[in-house]
Amino acid sequence: MSIMLSFRTATLDDIAAMTAILEAAHLPAHQLEPFIDTFMVAERAGAVVACGGIEVHGDTAVLRSVAVDDALRGTGVGRRLSEHL
């Protein structure tokens, strides 16, 4: 059974939710604002439940700070978000 999610580019309005998810995963949550356009969020029922970023270096990229709300860990949300990134 797949969890219904939508994926989109993060906005400044998402920073509070992203910060909470990242901090719960023990990942750095500071200085999101300058890099917000490199992040995506996953939403479930209008709530941000995961976030992750991509850092591009020439023709390669690095996934950064992919984190999922505790309640949805282990359900494939992180994998699906990574695929979108």
Side-chain angles (χ1 to χ4, degrees), residues 62-74:
V62 177
L63 283 175
R64 51 174 284 206
S65 302
V66 176
V68 179
D69 183 86
D70 286 341
L72 294 175
R73 285 192 184 160

Side-chain angles (χ1 to χ4, degrees), residues 5-67:
L5 298 170
S6 61
F7 299 90
R8 62 174 174 76
T9 302
T11 67
L12 293 175
D13 291 338
D14 299 318
I15 288 180
M18 292 169 62
T19 297
I21 291 168
L22 291 167
E23 287 178 348
H26 306 287
L27 291 171
H30 62 285
Q31 293 188 322
L32 288 172
E33 189 171 325
F35 304 102
I36 197 70
D37 62 335
T38 66
F39 276 81
M40 289 188 78
V41 295
E43 288 183 313
R44 180 180 188 201
V48 173
V49 296
C51 63
I54 191 163
E55 190 175 314
V56 178
H57 299 278
D59 60 353
T60 59
V62 177
L63 283 175
R64 51 174 284 206
S65 302
V66 176

